[in-house]
Amino acid sequence: MERAVGQPGTEAGAETEAAAEGVPETAGEGETPPAVDDTADHAAEAGKPPEAEDAAEDAADDAADDAADDAAEAAAVPRRRRRRRLLLRVALGLVLLLVVPVLAALTALRVNYLGDPADGTYTRGKDAIWLGHAWVDGRKKDADVKALADRLRDTGMRDLYVHAGPLEHDGTLPESAYANARWFIAAVHREAPQLRVQAWLGDVLASESPNGMRLERAATRAAVVRSTREILAVGFQGAHFDLEPLHSDDADYLTLLDTLRAVTRAHDARLSVAAHQIDPVPGFHSFWGTTTGHPKWWSQKFFGQVARRVDQIAVMSYDTMQPLEGTYGGYVAQQTSLALEVTPPGTDLLMGLPFYRENRFGHWAHAETVAAAVRGVRLGLSRTDADRANFGVAAYVDFTATEQDWTSYREGWVR
């Protein structure tokens, strides 16, 4: 029940006034004076209420936290900067790791293209050209053969590798693939008796995919040998094999060549092969095979093993990935030297000329020119075995050749 507020001068009024003035009431006799809470007094004396103390403590804590956060943030900035710098250095290192060797290799190849070929490093009359399938499937006529003979007259051309395949994956060769072969051989001998006609046979090997010819199968190799006998019986003066992709150190391929050599010799015919390029640095085919799945190159040792088993070996010295004419020419010079070092003097060594043009990663038309290839061949021949007699070039391919290609071949190599 609320206490009534008395009038001034009454007891109640006195109590009210005392309370109003902040004076405590006096305890009566015999009564214990009530405990006095002096917190407010102390707070008043300190000049701030209890709530202000709590707020001040919270503010101090917040300030401390903010200071700690600021300190942590300040410490994190240098760490992030150091991390970014580290990542940039790693990225730069990786770029340099890739770019510097490439630039060094390109520089070395360009330097290899410098200098003058030795006098006399021209055709030995051992050159060859790959011809398309149209020559034996009925599309070409007598007038075409005469035009071809006129084109090749007074050049170094000796062998025609005319496409008479391809072989089936099991090694067999249907007669329909070379239906007009007898006519073509007779026409060539009539118009250009100095030329030798070889059957160009090839197939895709199952070395990098599940489909293709499998040389590891004895039955397949035996079928290839039978097909060779059949093609020679038609009148071809040799068999030229292009099996790709053929990995370095393929023992089954060497076994096949040993058997084929016996067959061609029995027919007084030539055994010829198209060969992969040689490792520009030792073991490069292994590195490239590991990183891309396509070894591309042969070891120099394997190239020599193949060269000793055949009468002719033609290096496919195009599709080299070279970006500049100078580096391509230097590359061909290097390939020529590497091939000469391991090819027996009795084997015809032919270096390929790109009588075609494409623009893709593996082949740039502005770089891989016939002129650069011929000059590279002459440089490599000059530096390694300038007097090699069984040596020439092989042009790929007749149906894409331009007048500029023929001019570069004549002016650079035939003279």
Side-chain angles (χ1 to χ4, degrees), residues 3 53 318:
R3 193 171 180 185
E53 272 196 341
Y318 34 76

Side-chain angles (χ1 to χ4, degrees), residues 304-318:
Q305 291 174 329
V306 173
R308 289 193 292 273
R309 288 170 165 81
V310 298
D311 299 303
Q312 291 179 328
I313 184 166
V315 184
M316 296 180 284
S317 42
Y318 34 76

Side-chain angles (χ1 to χ4, degrees), residues 160-161 282:
L160 308 180
Y161 302 144

Side-chain angles (χ1 to χ4, degrees), residues 215-247:
L215 292 180
E216 68 271 18
R217 295 176 179 173
T220 299
R221 297 197 302 272
V224 172
V225 173
R226 287 194 302 273
S227 297
T228 304
R229 289 196 180 97
E230 293 166 1
I231 205 79
L232 294 177
V234 172
F236 283 102
Q237 297 161 286
H240 175 80
F241 288 90
D242 178 19
L243 303 174
E244 301 180 51
L246 182 62
H247 293 181

Side-chain angles (χ1 to χ4, degrees), residues 31-311:
E31 294 182 7
T32 303
V36 178
D37 184 358
D38 60 357
T39 303
D41 293 334
H42 292 309
E45 292 173 2
K48 50 187 175 182
E51 294 82 356
E53 272 196 341
D54 294 339
E57 291 177 0
D58 291 342
D61 292 340
D62 291 342
D65 291 341
D66 290 341
D69 291 342
D70 291 342
E73 181 67 20
V77 170
R79 284 199 298 270
R80 283 199 295 268
R81 288 175 180 168
R82 286 195 298 271
R83 191 178 301 113
R84 281 197 297 268
R85 286 198 295 267
L86 178 60
L87 290 175
L88 287 173
R89 287 171 183 163
V90 170
L92 179 60
L94 291 175
V95 170
L96 292 176
L97 189 64
L98 295 174
V99 172
V100 170
V102 172
L103 292 177
L106 293 176
T107 301
L109 292 177
R110 184 63 185 86
V111 170
N112 204 39
Y113 193 55
L114 300 176
D116 296 319
D119 293 337
T121 51
Y122 301 113
T123 185
R124 277 85 163 127
K126 298 279 187 177
D127 304 336
I129 184 171
W130 282 277
L131 301 179
H133 201 77
W135 294 99
V136 295
D137 67 2
R139 283 178 283 172
K140 297 291 188 178
K141 307 302 179 186
D142 286 341
D144 297 308
V145 176
K146 185 177 186 310
L148 177 65
D150 291 341
R151 166 77 76 181
L152 301 182
R153 189 171 290 113
D154 299 324
T155 68
M157 293 295 174
R158 176 72 172 94
D159 286 284
L160 308 180
Y161 302 144
V162 58
H163 193 263
L167 294 163
E168 300 293 329
H169 290 342
D170 63 0
T172 59
L173 180 65
E175 290 186 21
S176 58
Y178 52 94
N180 276 29
R182 291 182 186 276
W183 162 82
F184 177 68
I185 296 169
V188 169
H189 288 167
R190 181 180 65 250
E191 298 293 340
Q194 80 279 8
L195 296 177
R196 186 164 48 200
V197 185
Q198 299 194 42
W200 169 13
L201 305 175
D203 192 23
V204 175
L205 298 179
S207 53
E208 297 176 12
S209 72
N211 300 316
M213 180 182 290
R214 297 185 177 277
L215 292 180
E216 68 271 18
R217 295 176 179 173
T220 299
R221 297 197 302 272
V224 172
V225 173
R226 287 194 302 273
S227 297
T228 304
R229 289 196 180 97
E230 293 166 1
I231 205 79
L232 294 177
V234 172
F236 283 102
Q237 297 161 286
H240 175 80
F241 288 90
D242 178 19
L243 303 174
E244 301 180 51
L246 182 62
H247 293 181
S248 186
D249 305 322
D250 190 322
D252 296 312
Y253 181 61
L254 298 180
T255 299
L256 175 63
L257 293 179
D258 287 335
T259 308
L260 288 172
R261 186 72 177 274
V263 172
T264 54
R265 281 180 171 174
H267 285 78
D268 194 25
R270 309 286 285 176
L271 175 60
S272 175
V273 296
H276 289 237
Q277 297 156 33
I278 301 173
D279 281 334
V281 294
F284 197 68
H285 70 280
S286 297
F287 164 77
W288 200 258
T290 301
T291 55
T292 69
H294 173 54
K296 184 178 174 63
W297 292 270
W298 285 354
S299 70
Q300 190 182 36
K301 177 183 176 182
F302 183 68
F303 187 96
Q305 291 174 329
V306 173
R308 289 193 292 273
R309 288 170 165 81
V310 298
D311 299 303

